[in-house]
Amino acid sequence: MTSSDELHKRRGAAVARGVGSVIPSYVDRASGGTIVDVDGREWIDFAAGIAVANVGNSAPRVVAAVREQVERFTHTCFMVAPYESYVAVCERLNALTPGGFEKRSALFNSGAEAVENAVKIARHATGRPAVVVFDHAYHGRTNLTMALTAKNMPYKHRFGPFAGEIYRVPMSYPLRDGGLDGATAAARAIEMVEKQVGAENVAALLIEPIQGEGGFVVPAEGFLPALREWATAAGVVFVADEIQTGFCRTGDWFACEHEGVEPDLVTLAKGIAGGLPLAAVTGRAELMDAVHVGGLGGTYGGNPVACAAALASIDTMQELDLAAAARRIGSVLGPRLHAIADRDPRVAEVRGRGAMLAVELVRPGTLTPDPAATAAVSAACHAAGLLTLTCGTYGNVIRFLPPLVISDAELARGLDILDAAFA
Ligand SMILES: Cc1ncc(COP(=O)(O)O)c(CNCCCC(=O)O)c1O
């Protein structure tokens, strides 16, 4: 088998350098909470392909469903010749997402594409142009989603000009906003919108219930409900970007459920289909159906193989109660992270929910971000065979996103490596 070193040489002569990778090892196979590289090295997976492999790599039901579908037909384009599995996925999403109201869904290929379409739908339904987003937000790498995203490097640098009518307001970030309570933080954001944009001009407010790439920022309790209440009163479409938080990751099926927030639209991707590329916008029927026939779509959106994978993945999440699994993972991971924080002054905060947890690193005794320490701990994890990811506006957050089917033994082994990396 070709070694990682040989593959890395070939990559340098074939793949654009702009596409990076966290580790220089190339995957041979993966399942549960383990990745095996082409050199036979085992990695404990605390990344899940960036919160995608919630049901694990090559989950049995997903493999069987994909095998069956791929032998029947691989692509007819739902806009040309439709098929049941697209409808079935939409039925499941309409039933599973928060909100007892009538819903419709539309399927796409990537999270960014879902976010782009949620904005299209909100603007079309309201006739308004403005979109409100938050500090530290991440929503994708297309032109509009770069405009919605807060961090310049690596996502936006030299890729402008960006789409207009995007307005950014402060996020509830308790560690860095002086510990504002949710209602106060929301009032601060709302006042900026009303003074600088005018609520009557706002089509949508777009927010991640727990911010992902921006640093696993968990807003103070009450922040999301206050924004939801304001959006309702102002006729603003409340869009929850659950692309990283969705599908059992945070201990609920969707993170909005934690505070009983019912978004008008929700964007979905990542954990939806066991690793197959699928994304969706699900939301109030009157909003989704405001768009004229032909106004939504794309060639591959809701590919039948991805839809088969999604139905099997959702079945797996329900059968294995992976929301409970995420809570259990959090109950093991959280205390170990707090134990590290208790002994290491570089850890300013442990935060997150369920199996979406993170530590933020600073210079001891300050709130000055410490990206160098973050990189050093990450490198120590990788050298010892634990695949972790960093994130955060300041590059000083280590995040933990294990597959929700990770075994107790794999979790324990990963945590022992993490402990040693902080020693
Ligand atoms: C909340 C939230 N919205 C939207 C997206 C975008 O989803 P796509 O499927 O990557 O387009 C994400 C993707 N996050 C991982 C990006 C990794 C990278 O590109 O470096 C997200 O987390």
Side-chain angles (χ1 to χ4, degrees), residues 46 78 90 182 202 216 223 346 403:
F46 274 15
F78 190 78
C90 291
V202 179
F216 278 30
F223 183 69
R346 295 174 299 175

Side-chain angles (χ1 to χ4, degrees), residues 49-52 109-115 137-142 145 149 154-155 207-213 241-245 267 269-270 278-279 356 399:
I50 319 181
V52 169
N109 305 285
S110 69
E113 198 182 352
V115 172
Y138 180 91
H139 297 293
R141 295 174 178 262
T142 59
T145 56
T149 291
Y155 306 119
I207 189 164
E208 301 155 84
I210 295 177
Q211 292 184 313
E213 307 307 315
D241 183 346
E242 293 247 22
I243 287 162
Q244 187 152 173
T245 55
T267 52
K270 287 185 186 287
L278 189 68
M356 183 175 181
R399 53 174 157 169

Side-chain angles (χ1 to χ4, degrees), residues 225-244:
L227 293 173
R228 168 67 279 182
E229 187 180 345
W230 172 81
T232 303
V236 170
V237 177
F238 187 100
V239 184
D241 183 346
E242 293 247 22
I243 287 162
Q244 187 152 173

Side-chain angles (χ1 to χ4, degrees), residues 32 69 74 94 113 139 176 184 228 239 261 322 376 380:
Q69 178 59 51
T74 49
N94 295 344
E113 198 182 352
H139 297 293
R176 295 185 175 276
T184 303
R228 168 67 279 182
V239 184
V261 170
L322 290 189

Side-chain angles (χ1 to χ4, degrees), residues 81-296:
Y83 37 90
E84 181 192 4
S85 59
Y86 186 116
V87 175
V89 169
C90 291
E91 289 169 337
R92 302 294 287 275
L93 299 181
N94 295 344
L96 282 168
T97 48
F101 38 79
E102 192 176 351
K103 299 181 196 139
R104 299 288 186 273
S105 290
L107 303 181
F108 304 101
N109 305 285
S110 69
E113 198 182 352
V115 172
E116 288 260 0
N117 279 279
V119 170
K120 282 169 63 174
I121 292 161
R123 282 174 165 166
H124 195 287
T126 62
R128 302 173 178 182
V131 179
V132 171
V133 287
F134 289 82
D135 287 339
H136 313 292
Y138 180 91
H139 297 293
R141 295 174 178 262
T142 59
N143 185 270
L144 172 61
T145 56
M146 283 192 287
L148 299 167
T149 291
K151 191 174 182 182
N152 176 53
M153 187 57 87
Y155 306 119
K156 302 173 71 166
H157 186 60
R158 291 170 62 90
F159 294 133
F162 302 115
E165 286 296 320
I166 307 300
Y167 301 91
R168 196 172 305 284
V169 295
M171 178 68 181
S172 168
Y173 192 154
L175 177 70
R176 295 185 175 276
D177 67 13
L180 292 179
D181 64 80
T184 303
R188 178 180 64 168
I190 290 164
E191 186 187 35
M192 282 183 75
V193 174
E194 293 183 339
K195 291 294 178 291
Q196 297 182 25
V197 186
E200 66 279 13
N201 297 315
V202 179
L205 179 146
L206 172 65
I207 189 164
E208 301 155 84
I210 295 177
Q211 292 184 313
E213 307 307 315
F216 278 30
V217 178
V218 182
E221 296 283 318
F223 183 69
L224 294 173
L227 293 173
R228 168 67 279 182
E229 187 180 345
W230 172 81
T232 303
V236 170
V237 177
F238 187 100
V239 184
D241 183 346
E242 293 247 22
I243 287 162
Q244 187 152 173
T245 55
F247 295 102
C248 303
R249 173 56 56 188
T250 64
D252 293 299
W253 268 81
F254 299 97
C256 279
E257 297 170 39
H258 182 70
E259 291 188 274
V261 170
E262 296 182 349
D264 298 310
L265 300 179
V266 59
T267 52
L268 305 168
K270 287 185 186 287
I272 187 171
L276 276 286
L278 189 68
V281 178
T282 297
R284 292 182 183 277
E286 62 271 26
L287 297 175
M288 298 292 291
D289 281 349
V291 176
H292 51 279
V293 176
L296 301 173

